[in-house]
């Protein structure tokens, strides 16, 4: 039975982070709910899978990034390296902007007012910075 469930938490974490493109709107309450659901999944999986398998930790870390804000996300990547793909991080940045009600218009390139245009410029600057951070080679460890 262990063989059947080995790796299931890693698969679930992959699904929870890469399929974020299907989430239309996201806010602080939704993020808190995702974190609670991930914890519940971890607890339930510990009953049927290997308890030391920490695959869902990656999904938890991803959703914890939301609370850092865009600048915090960028700082985290520069200090710890990229743990996810550019597209996954870009979606999280979009989530942070959607918390302000601008995310959908910004990510689709539709800015309707001067304020939205200003936020769109800021969003684009954050995305360019994100791209530079994610595409740079990993920080070598000193061993």
């Amino acid at each position: 039975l262990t063989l059947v469930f080995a790796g299931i938490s890693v698969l679930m974490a992959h699904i929870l982070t890469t399929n974020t493109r299907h989430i239309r709107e996201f806010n602080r309450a939704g993020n808190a709910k995702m974190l609670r659901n991930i914890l519940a999944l971890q607890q339930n999986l510990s009953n049927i899978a290997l308890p030391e398998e920490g695959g869902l930790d990656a999904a938890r870390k991803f959703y914890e990034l939301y609370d850092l804000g865009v600048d915090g996300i960028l700082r985290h990547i520069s200090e710890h390296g990229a743990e996810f793909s550019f597209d996954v991080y870009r979606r999280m940045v979009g989530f942070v902007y959607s918390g302000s009600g601008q995310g959908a218009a910004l990510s689709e390139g539709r800015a309707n007012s001067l304020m939205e245009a200003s936020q769109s410029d800021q969003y684009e600057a954050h995305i360019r910075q994100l791209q530079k951070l994610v595409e740079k080679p990993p920080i070598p460890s000193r061993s």
Side-chain angles (χ1 to χ4, degrees), residues 91-136:
R91 188 66 182 157
M92 180 52 74
V93 169
F95 285 164
V96 173
Y97 273 89
S98 73
S100 67
Q102 303 297 326
L106 292 173
S107 63
E108 295 173 12
R110 301 179 327 223
N112 296 323
S113 70
L114 188 57
M115 185 172 144
E116 286 177 357
S118 171
Q119 281 198 338
S120 179
D121 291 343
Q122 189 178 23
Y123 173 80
E124 292 299 324
H126 280 133
I127 294 301
R128 283 191 299 275
Q129 188 177 0
L130 174 65
Q131 193 167 23
K132 287 178 188 174
L133 286 171
V134 173
E135 290 179 352
K136 75 179 189 181

mmCIF file of all heavy atoms in Angstrom, residues 91-136:
data_model
loop_
_atom_site.group_PDB
_atom_site.id
_atom_site.type_symbol
_atom_site.label_atom_id
_atom_site.label_comp_id
_atom_site.label_asym_id
_atom_site.label_seq_id
_atom_site.Cartn_x
_atom_site.Cartn_y
_atom_site.Cartn_z
ATOM 1 N N ARG A 91 2.157 34.222 -11.377
ATOM 2 C CA ARG A 91 0.761 34.082 -10.952
ATOM 3 C C ARG A 91 0.577 34.566 -9.512
ATOM 4 O O ARG A 91 -0.402 35.216 -9.192
ATOM 5 C CB ARG A 91 0.327 32.622 -11.109
ATOM 6 C CG ARG A 91 -1.130 32.411 -10.871
ATOM 7 C CD ARG A 91 -1.975 33.094 -11.913
ATOM 8 N NE ARG A 91 -3.357 32.883 -11.576
ATOM 9 C CZ ARG A 91 -4.329 33.650 -11.967
ATOM 10 N NH1 ARG A 91 -4.097 34.663 -12.760
ATOM 11 N NH2 ARG A 91 -5.557 33.400 -11.604
ATOM 12 N N MET A 92 1.559 34.268 -8.642
ATOM 13 C CA MET A 92 1.455 34.728 -7.255
ATOM 14 C C MET A 92 1.521 36.251 -7.197
ATOM 15 O O MET A 92 0.796 36.874 -6.431
ATOM 16 C CB MET A 92 2.549 34.110 -6.384
ATOM 17 C CG MET A 92 2.481 34.545 -4.929
ATOM 18 S SD MET A 92 0.853 34.329 -4.111
ATOM 19 C CE MET A 92 0.802 32.564 -3.887
ATOM 20 N N VAL A 93 2.381 36.859 -8.013
ATOM 21 C CA VAL A 93 2.429 38.327 -8.064
ATOM 22 C C VAL A 93 1.071 38.857 -8.529
ATOM 23 O O VAL A 93 0.555 39.830 -7.981
ATOM 24 C CB VAL A 93 3.579 38.808 -8.980
ATOM 25 C CG1 VAL A 93 3.476 40.300 -9.255
ATOM 26 C CG2 VAL A 93 4.927 38.470 -8.359
ATOM 27 N N GLY A 94 0.473 38.205 -9.509
ATOM 28 C CA GLY A 94 -0.865 38.582 -9.957
ATOM 29 C C GLY A 94 -1.887 38.450 -8.848
ATOM 30 O O GLY A 94 -2.788 39.288 -8.713
ATOM 31 N N PHE A 95 -1.756 37.410 -8.014
ATOM 32 C CA PHE A 95 -2.656 37.243 -6.873
ATOM 33 C C PHE A 95 -2.533 38.416 -5.912
ATOM 34 O O PHE A 95 -3.527 38.921 -5.398
ATOM 35 C CB PHE A 95 -2.355 35.952 -6.116
ATOM 36 C CG PHE A 95 -2.822 34.693 -6.787
ATOM 37 C CD1 PHE A 95 -2.319 33.468 -6.379
ATOM 38 C CD2 PHE A 95 -3.757 34.714 -7.800
ATOM 39 C CE1 PHE A 95 -2.748 32.296 -6.969
ATOM 40 C CE2 PHE A 95 -4.187 33.548 -8.406
ATOM 41 C CZ PHE A 95 -3.680 32.338 -7.981
ATOM 42 N N VAL A 96 -1.302 38.837 -5.654
ATOM 43 C CA VAL A 96 -1.093 39.959 -4.736
ATOM 44 C C VAL A 96 -1.753 41.211 -5.295
ATOM 45 O O VAL A 96 -2.433 41.946 -4.582
ATOM 46 C CB VAL A 96 0.413 40.189 -4.469
ATOM 47 C CG1 VAL A 96 0.632 41.452 -3.651
ATOM 48 C CG2 VAL A 96 1.014 38.986 -3.764
ATOM 49 N N TYR A 97 -1.587 41.443 -6.598
ATOM 50 C CA TYR A 97 -2.240 42.592 -7.211
ATOM 51 C C TYR A 97 -3.756 42.429 -7.225
ATOM 52 O O TYR A 97 -4.479 43.409 -7.090
ATOM 53 C CB TYR A 97 -1.720 42.814 -8.637
ATOM 54 C CG TYR A 97 -0.474 43.661 -8.675
ATOM 55 C CD1 TYR A 97 0.786 43.093 -8.588
ATOM 56 C CD2 TYR A 97 -0.559 45.047 -8.779
ATOM 57 C CE1 TYR A 97 1.926 43.868 -8.614
ATOM 58 C CE2 TYR A 97 0.576 45.835 -8.797
ATOM 59 C CZ TYR A 97 1.814 45.235 -8.720
ATOM 60 O OH TYR A 97 2.943 46.008 -8.734
ATOM 61 N N SER A 98 -4.250 41.203 -7.380
ATOM 62 C CA SER A 98 -5.703 41.012 -7.416
ATOM 63 C C SER A 98 -6.325 41.289 -6.058
ATOM 64 O O SER A 98 -7.495 41.623 -5.969
ATOM 65 C CB SER A 98 -6.071 39.610 -7.893
ATOM 66 O OG SER A 98 -5.791 38.644 -6.907
ATOM 67 N N GLY A 99 -5.542 41.180 -5.000
ATOM 68 C CA GLY A 99 -6.028 41.529 -3.675
ATOM 69 C C GLY A 99 -6.417 42.989 -3.589
ATOM 70 O O GLY A 99 -7.256 43.388 -2.790
ATOM 71 N N SER A 100 -5.836 43.810 -4.482
ATOM 72 C CA SER A 100 -6.182 45.229 -4.525
ATOM 73 C C SER A 100 -7.285 45.500 -5.542
ATOM 74 O O SER A 100 -7.643 46.646 -5.775
ATOM 75 C CB SER A 100 -4.949 46.069 -4.880
ATOM 76 O OG SER A 100 -4.533 45.792 -6.211
ATOM 77 N N GLY A 101 -7.811 44.430 -6.169
ATOM 78 C CA GLY A 101 -8.888 44.596 -7.139
ATOM 79 C C GLY A 101 -8.418 44.905 -8.544
ATOM 80 O O GLY A 101 -9.215 45.090 -9.444
ATOM 81 N N GLN A 102 -7.110 44.920 -8.773
ATOM 82 C CA GLN A 102 -6.577 45.288 -10.078
ATOM 83 C C GLN A 102 -5.989 44.107 -10.842
ATOM 84 O O GLN A 102 -5.626 44.246 -11.981
ATOM 85 C CB GLN A 102 -5.473 46.355 -9.911
ATOM 86 C CG GLN A 102 -5.926 47.597 -9.188
ATOM 87 C CD GLN A 102 -6.999 48.351 -9.929
ATOM 88 O OE1 GLN A 102 -7.012 48.384 -11.152
ATOM 89 N NE2 GLN A 102 -7.924 48.926 -9.207
ATOM 90 N N GLY A 103 -5.859 42.979 -10.213
ATOM 91 C CA GLY A 103 -5.117 41.862 -10.783
ATOM 92 C C GLY A 103 -5.592 41.388 -12.136
ATOM 93 O O GLY A 103 -4.796 41.169 -13.035
ATOM 94 N N ALA A 104 -6.901 41.198 -12.320
ATOM 95 C CA ALA A 104 -7.396 40.663 -13.583
ATOM 96 C C ALA A 104 -7.102 41.612 -14.736
ATOM 97 O O ALA A 104 -6.629 41.209 -15.787
ATOM 98 C CB ALA A 104 -8.895 40.394 -13.488
ATOM 99 N N ALA A 105 -7.368 42.887 -14.540
ATOM 100 C CA ALA A 105 -7.117 43.864 -15.596
ATOM 101 C C ALA A 105 -5.632 43.971 -15.901
ATOM 102 O O ALA A 105 -5.225 44.058 -17.052
ATOM 103 C CB ALA A 105 -7.667 45.235 -15.206
ATOM 104 N N LEU A 106 -4.797 43.945 -14.858
ATOM 105 C CA LEU A 106 -3.355 44.080 -15.060
ATOM 106 C C LEU A 106 -2.772 42.883 -15.779
ATOM 107 O O LEU A 106 -1.993 43.023 -16.708
ATOM 108 C CB LEU A 106 -2.647 44.285 -13.722
ATOM 109 C CG LEU A 106 -2.927 45.600 -13.012
ATOM 110 C CD1 LEU A 106 -2.300 45.585 -11.628
ATOM 111 C CD2 LEU A 106 -2.420 46.772 -13.815
ATOM 112 N N SER A 107 -3.137 41.686 -15.348
ATOM 113 C CA SER A 107 -2.542 40.500 -15.942
ATOM 114 C C SER A 107 -3.020 40.291 -17.375
ATOM 115 O O SER A 107 -2.362 39.635 -18.155
ATOM 116 C CB SER A 107 -2.828 39.270 -15.094
ATOM 117 O OG SER A 107 -4.206 39.031 -15.037
ATOM 118 N N GLU A 108 -4.156 40.872 -17.725
ATOM 119 C CA GLU A 108 -4.649 40.766 -19.092
ATOM 120 C C GLU A 108 -4.278 41.988 -19.921
ATOM 121 O O GLU A 108 -4.651 42.096 -21.090
ATOM 122 C CB GLU A 108 -6.173 40.583 -19.084
ATOM 123 C CG GLU A 108 -6.595 39.267 -18.445
ATOM 124 C CD GLU A 108 -8.100 39.160 -18.295
ATOM 125 O OE1 GLU A 108 -8.820 39.980 -18.886
ATOM 126 O OE2 GLU A 108 -8.537 38.255 -17.578
ATOM 127 N N GLY A 109 -3.568 42.942 -19.325
ATOM 128 C CA GLY A 109 -3.119 44.110 -20.072
ATOM 129 C C GLY A 109 -4.188 45.156 -20.309
ATOM 130 O O GLY A 109 -4.076 45.957 -21.218
ATOM 131 N N ARG A 110 -5.242 45.179 -19.508
ATOM 132 C CA ARG A 110 -6.322 46.150 -19.683
ATOM 133 C C ARG A 110 -6.309 47.139 -18.537
ATOM 134 O O ARG A 110 -6.799 46.862 -17.470
ATOM 135 C CB ARG A 110 -7.687 45.458 -19.679
ATOM 136 C CG ARG A 110 -7.916 44.433 -20.702
ATOM 137 C CD ARG A 110 -9.304 43.860 -20.507
ATOM 138 N NE ARG A 110 -9.633 43.865 -19.093
ATOM 139 C CZ ARG A 110 -10.217 42.888 -18.435
ATOM 140 N NH1 ARG A 110 -10.576 41.827 -19.044
ATOM 141 N NH2 ARG A 110 -10.478 42.982 -17.145
ATOM 142 N N ALA A 111 -5.742 48.278 -18.767
ATOM 143 C CA ALA A 111 -5.749 49.325 -17.745
ATOM 144 C C ALA A 111 -6.734 50.394 -18.192
ATOM 145 O O ALA A 111 -6.598 50.966 -19.255
ATOM 146 C CB ALA A 111 -4.360 49.906 -17.580
ATOM 147 N N ASN A 112 -7.769 50.660 -17.371
ATOM 148 C CA ASN A 112 -8.838 51.562 -17.775
ATOM 149 C C ASN A 112 -8.715 52.973 -17.215
ATOM 150 O O ASN A 112 -9.282 53.897 -17.762
ATOM 151 C CB ASN A 112 -10.199 50.977 -17.356
ATOM 152 C CG ASN A 112 -10.484 49.680 -18.068
ATOM 153 O OD1 ASN A 112 -10.139 49.522 -19.231
ATOM 154 N ND2 ASN A 112 -11.085 48.741 -17.373
ATOM 155 N N SER A 113 -8.005 53.172 -16.141
ATOM 156 C CA SER A 113 -7.896 54.493 -15.563
ATOM 157 C C SER A 113 -6.428 54.842 -15.364
ATOM 158 O O SER A 113 -5.541 54.021 -15.553
ATOM 159 C CB SER A 113 -8.626 54.542 -14.213
ATOM 160 O OG SER A 113 -7.917 53.783 -13.258
ATOM 161 N N LEU A 114 -6.199 56.087 -14.984
ATOM 162 C CA LEU A 114 -4.833 56.533 -14.730
ATOM 163 C C LEU A 114 -4.206 55.736 -13.584
ATOM 164 O O LEU A 114 -3.044 55.331 -13.662
ATOM 165 C CB LEU A 114 -4.844 58.030 -14.400
ATOM 166 C CG LEU A 114 -3.499 58.721 -14.294
ATOM 167 C CD1 LEU A 114 -2.710 58.542 -15.581
ATOM 168 C CD2 LEU A 114 -3.686 60.198 -14.018
ATOM 169 N N MET A 115 -4.987 55.473 -12.543
ATOM 170 C CA MET A 115 -4.477 54.685 -11.417
ATOM 171 C C MET A 115 -4.143 53.267 -11.859
ATOM 172 O O MET A 115 -3.105 52.723 -11.505
ATOM 173 C CB MET A 115 -5.493 54.651 -10.290
ATOM 174 C CG MET A 115 -5.003 53.972 -9.042
ATOM 175 S SD MET A 115 -6.222 54.210 -7.749
ATOM 176 C CE MET A 115 -6.093 52.665 -6.911
ATOM 177 N N GLU A 116 -5.023 52.668 -12.664
ATOM 178 C CA GLU A 116 -4.761 51.326 -13.176
ATOM 179 C C GLU A 116 -3.532 51.327 -14.075
ATOM 180 O O GLU A 116 -2.747 50.380 -14.057
ATOM 181 C CB GLU A 116 -5.968 50.781 -13.932
ATOM 182 C CG GLU A 116 -7.111 50.372 -13.033
ATOM 183 C CD GLU A 116 -8.321 49.904 -13.825
ATOM 184 O OE1 GLU A 116 -8.290 49.952 -15.074
ATOM 185 O OE2 GLU A 116 -9.301 49.490 -13.202
ATOM 186 N N ALA A 117 -3.348 52.374 -14.862
ATOM 187 C CA ALA A 117 -2.180 52.468 -15.738
ATOM 188 C C ALA A 117 -0.902 52.554 -14.907
ATOM 189 O O ALA A 117 0.104 51.922 -15.226
ATOM 190 C CB ALA A 117 -2.303 53.670 -16.655
ATOM 191 N N SER A 118 -0.954 53.314 -13.816
ATOM 192 C CA SER A 118 0.193 53.421 -12.923
ATOM 193 C C SER A 118 0.499 52.071 -12.283
ATOM 194 O O SER A 118 1.655 51.653 -12.219
ATOM 195 C CB SER A 118 -0.081 54.470 -11.844
ATOM 196 O OG SER A 118 0.911 54.435 -10.864
ATOM 197 N N GLN A 119 -0.533 51.389 -11.826
ATOM 198 C CA GLN A 119 -0.338 50.060 -11.240
ATOM 199 C C GLN A 119 0.129 49.069 -12.301
ATOM 200 O O GLN A 119 0.899 48.171 -12.010
ATOM 201 C CB GLN A 119 -1.610 49.565 -10.568
ATOM 202 C CG GLN A 119 -1.816 50.167 -9.206
ATOM 203 C CD GLN A 119 -2.797 49.371 -8.373
ATOM 204 O OE1 GLN A 119 -3.617 48.634 -8.881
ATOM 205 N NE2 GLN A 119 -2.699 49.535 -7.068
ATOM 206 N N SER A 120 -0.341 49.246 -13.536
ATOM 207 C CA SER A 120 0.091 48.379 -14.620
ATOM 208 C C SER A 120 1.585 48.543 -14.866
ATOM 209 O O SER A 120 2.298 47.558 -15.061
ATOM 210 C CB SER A 120 -0.699 48.695 -15.887
ATOM 211 O OG SER A 120 -0.269 47.871 -16.946
ATOM 212 N N ASP A 121 2.072 49.782 -14.838
ATOM 213 C CA ASP A 121 3.506 50.023 -15.004
ATOM 214 C C ASP A 121 4.288 49.388 -13.865
ATOM 215 O O ASP A 121 5.344 48.782 -14.066
ATOM 216 C CB ASP A 121 3.798 51.530 -15.052
ATOM 217 C CG ASP A 121 3.280 52.188 -16.322
ATOM 218 O OD1 ASP A 121 2.986 51.463 -17.300
ATOM 219 O OD2 ASP A 121 3.150 53.434 -16.324
ATOM 220 N N GLN A 122 3.765 49.525 -12.649
ATOM 221 C CA GLN A 122 4.411 48.941 -11.474
ATOM 222 C C GLN A 122 4.399 47.412 -11.574
ATOM 223 O O GLN A 122 5.396 46.755 -11.281
ATOM 224 C CB GLN A 122 3.674 49.403 -10.219
ATOM 225 C CG GLN A 122 4.357 49.062 -8.929
ATOM 226 C CD GLN A 122 3.583 49.612 -7.734
ATOM 227 O OE1 GLN A 122 2.378 49.859 -7.811
ATOM 228 N NE2 GLN A 122 4.276 49.788 -6.626
ATOM 229 N N TYR A 123 3.291 46.867 -12.014
ATOM 230 C CA TYR A 123 3.167 45.420 -12.197
ATOM 231 C C TYR A 123 4.196 44.929 -13.213
ATOM 232 O O TYR A 123 4.899 43.947 -12.977
ATOM 233 C CB TYR A 123 1.741 45.079 -12.649
ATOM 234 C CG TYR A 123 1.528 43.633 -13.033
ATOM 235 C CD1 TYR A 123 1.329 42.663 -12.058
ATOM 236 C CD2 TYR A 123 1.503 43.241 -14.365
ATOM 237 C CE1 TYR A 123 1.120 41.338 -12.400
ATOM 238 C CE2 TYR A 123 1.299 41.920 -14.724
ATOM 239 C CZ TYR A 123 1.107 40.976 -13.740
ATOM 240 O OH TYR A 123 0.907 39.666 -14.074
ATOM 241 N N GLU A 124 4.291 45.615 -14.338
ATOM 242 C CA GLU A 124 5.249 45.223 -15.382
ATOM 243 C C GLU A 124 6.684 45.298 -14.869
ATOM 244 O O GLU A 124 7.509 44.444 -15.176
ATOM 245 C CB GLU A 124 5.073 46.091 -16.634
ATOM 246 C CG GLU A 124 3.771 45.854 -17.367
ATOM 247 C CD GLU A 124 3.614 44.427 -17.867
ATOM 248 O OE1 GLU A 124 4.615 43.812 -18.286
ATOM 249 O OE2 GLU A 124 2.476 43.919 -17.818
ATOM 250 N N ALA A 125 6.997 46.320 -14.071
ATOM 251 C CA ALA A 125 8.336 46.451 -13.492
ATOM 252 C C ALA A 125 8.620 45.279 -12.541
ATOM 253 O O ALA A 125 9.725 44.715 -12.556
ATOM 254 C CB ALA A 125 8.474 47.776 -12.760
ATOM 255 N N HIS A 126 7.627 44.910 -11.749
ATOM 256 C CA HIS A 126 7.800 43.770 -10.850
ATOM 257 C C HIS A 126 8.001 42.476 -11.638
ATOM 258 O O HIS A 126 8.838 41.639 -11.263
ATOM 259 C CB HIS A 126 6.596 43.625 -9.916
ATOM 260 C CG HIS A 126 6.627 44.567 -8.762
ATOM 261 N ND1 HIS A 126 5.534 45.304 -8.388
ATOM 262 C CD2 HIS A 126 7.611 44.891 -7.885
ATOM 263 C CE1 HIS A 126 5.848 46.043 -7.335
ATOM 264 N NE2 HIS A 126 7.108 45.810 -7.018
ATOM 265 N N ILE A 127 7.278 42.314 -12.724
ATOM 266 C CA ILE A 127 7.406 41.098 -13.538
ATOM 267 C C ILE A 127 8.784 41.036 -14.180
ATOM 268 O O ILE A 127 9.410 39.972 -14.234
ATOM 269 C CB ILE A 127 6.279 41.016 -14.597
ATOM 270 C CG1 ILE A 127 4.917 40.846 -13.905
ATOM 271 C CG2 ILE A 127 6.533 39.884 -15.583
ATOM 272 C CD1 ILE A 127 4.804 39.614 -13.023
ATOM 273 N N ARG A 128 9.295 42.166 -14.664
ATOM 274 C CA ARG A 128 10.651 42.188 -15.248
ATOM 275 C C ARG A 128 11.694 41.821 -14.193
ATOM 276 O O ARG A 128 12.620 41.056 -14.461
ATOM 277 C CB ARG A 128 10.961 43.556 -15.857
ATOM 278 C CG ARG A 128 10.284 43.788 -17.208
ATOM 279 C CD ARG A 128 10.817 45.030 -17.886
ATOM 280 N NE ARG A 128 10.589 46.249 -17.122
ATOM 281 C CZ ARG A 128 9.478 46.978 -17.154
ATOM 282 N NH1 ARG A 128 8.477 46.608 -17.932
ATOM 283 N NH2 ARG A 128 9.362 48.073 -16.434
ATOM 284 N N GLN A 129 11.534 42.366 -12.994
ATOM 285 C CA GLN A 129 12.463 42.057 -11.913
ATOM 286 C C GLN A 129 12.366 40.572 -11.538
ATOM 287 O O GLN A 129 13.385 39.914 -11.313
ATOM 288 C CB GLN A 129 12.169 42.940 -10.708
ATOM 289 C CG GLN A 129 13.186 42.849 -9.608
ATOM 290 C CD GLN A 129 12.890 43.792 -8.451
ATOM 291 O OE1 GLN A 129 11.910 44.537 -8.468
ATOM 292 N NE2 GLN A 129 13.730 43.765 -7.443
ATOM 293 N N LEU A 130 11.161 40.050 -11.493
ATOM 294 C CA LEU A 130 10.941 38.639 -11.203
ATOM 295 C C LEU A 130 11.629 37.763 -12.235
ATOM 296 O O LEU A 130 12.302 36.790 -11.900
ATOM 297 C CB LEU A 130 9.441 38.339 -11.163
ATOM 298 C CG LEU A 130 9.024 36.884 -11.023
ATOM 299 C CD1 LEU A 130 9.469 36.325 -9.678
ATOM 300 C CD2 LEU A 130 7.524 36.743 -11.198
ATOM 301 N N GLN A 131 11.483 38.137 -13.494
ATOM 302 C CA GLN A 131 12.085 37.352 -14.573
ATOM 303 C C GLN A 131 13.606 37.313 -14.436
ATOM 304 O O GLN A 131 14.227 36.269 -14.591
ATOM 305 C CB GLN A 131 11.686 37.932 -15.923
ATOM 306 C CG GLN A 131 11.996 37.032 -17.080
ATOM 307 C CD GLN A 131 11.310 37.482 -18.344
ATOM 308 O OE1 GLN A 131 10.960 38.649 -18.495
ATOM 309 N NE2 GLN A 131 11.123 36.572 -19.264
ATOM 310 N N LYS A 132 14.210 38.448 -14.089
ATOM 311 C CA LYS A 132 15.661 38.486 -13.898
ATOM 312 C C LYS A 132 16.084 37.583 -12.739
ATOM 313 O O LYS A 132 17.089 36.887 -12.824
ATOM 314 C CB LYS A 132 16.124 39.919 -13.618
ATOM 315 C CG LYS A 132 16.084 40.818 -14.819
ATOM 316 C CD LYS A 132 16.507 42.224 -14.441
ATOM 317 C CE LYS A 132 16.292 43.182 -15.593
ATOM 318 N NZ LYS A 132 16.572 44.574 -15.189
ATOM 319 N N LEU A 133 15.321 37.605 -11.658
ATOM 320 C CA LEU A 133 15.665 36.794 -10.484
ATOM 321 C C LEU A 133 15.517 35.299 -10.745
ATOM 322 O O LEU A 133 16.357 34.500 -10.323
ATOM 323 C CB LEU A 133 14.786 37.182 -9.291
ATOM 324 C CG LEU A 133 15.101 38.509 -8.625
ATOM 325 C CD1 LEU A 133 14.020 38.850 -7.605
ATOM 326 C CD2 LEU A 133 16.459 38.472 -7.958
ATOM 327 N N VAL A 134 14.452 34.920 -11.429
ATOM 328 C CA VAL A 134 14.188 33.502 -11.647
ATOM 329 C C VAL A 134 15.125 32.925 -12.698
ATOM 330 O O VAL A 134 15.558 31.775 -12.594
ATOM 331 C CB VAL A 134 12.711 33.266 -12.033
ATOM 332 C CG1 VAL A 134 12.459 31.833 -12.434
ATOM 333 C CG2 VAL A 134 11.805 33.644 -10.874
ATOM 334 N N GLU A 135 15.516 33.729 -13.678
ATOM 335 C CA GLU A 135 16.362 33.225 -14.755
ATOM 336 C C GLU A 135 17.841 33.233 -14.422
ATOM 337 O O GLU A 135 18.620 32.621 -15.122
ATOM 338 C CB GLU A 135 16.117 34.029 -16.032
ATOM 339 C CG GLU A 135 14.760 33.765 -16.617
ATOM 340 C CD GLU A 135 14.491 34.565 -17.868
ATOM 341 O OE1 GLU A 135 15.302 35.448 -18.214
ATOM 342 O OE2 GLU A 135 13.468 34.302 -18.497
ATOM 343 N N LYS A 136 18.247 33.922 -13.362
ATOM 344 C CA LYS A 136 19.669 33.922 -13.033
ATOM 345 C C LYS A 136 20.070 32.573 -12.472
ATOM 346 O O LYS A 136 19.249 31.862 -11.887
ATOM 347 C CB LYS A 136 20.026 35.068 -12.090
ATOM 348 C CG LYS A 136 19.613 34.910 -10.667
ATOM 349 C CD LYS A 136 20.068 36.119 -9.875
ATOM 350 C CE LYS A 136 19.851 35.897 -8.394
ATOM 351 N NZ LYS A 136 20.259 37.033 -7.620
#
